[in-house]
């Protein structure tokens, strides 16, 4: 489900930050996570 995708992507983002990956990768993961969270809230608001 969507909440599981959010958790997986959040973990991936956190690991990228911890490992000091390139900012562009971290930024892209952050954008993807924001989009999933927005989608989740849109679905839950109906």
């Amino acid at each position: 489900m969507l909440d599981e995708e959010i958790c997986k992507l959040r973990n991936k983002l956190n690991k990228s930050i911890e490992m000091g990956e390139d900012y562009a990768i971290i930024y892209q993961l952050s954008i993807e996570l924001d989009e999933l969270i927005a989608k989740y809230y849109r679905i839950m608001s109906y």
Side-chain angles (χ1 to χ4, degrees), residues 20-30:
E21 289 191 8
D22 187 67
Y23 179 74
I25 294 170
I26 294 170
Y27 183 69
Q28 183 60 41
L29 290 171
S30 179

Side-chain angles (χ1 to χ4, degrees), residues 3-4 16-17 24 28 33-34 36 39-41 44:
D3 54 338
E4 292 173 4
S16 293
I17 293 168
Q28 183 60 41
L33 181 58
D34 287 348
L36 278 180
K39 183 177 181 181
Y40 176 83
Y41 279 112
M44 298 307 286

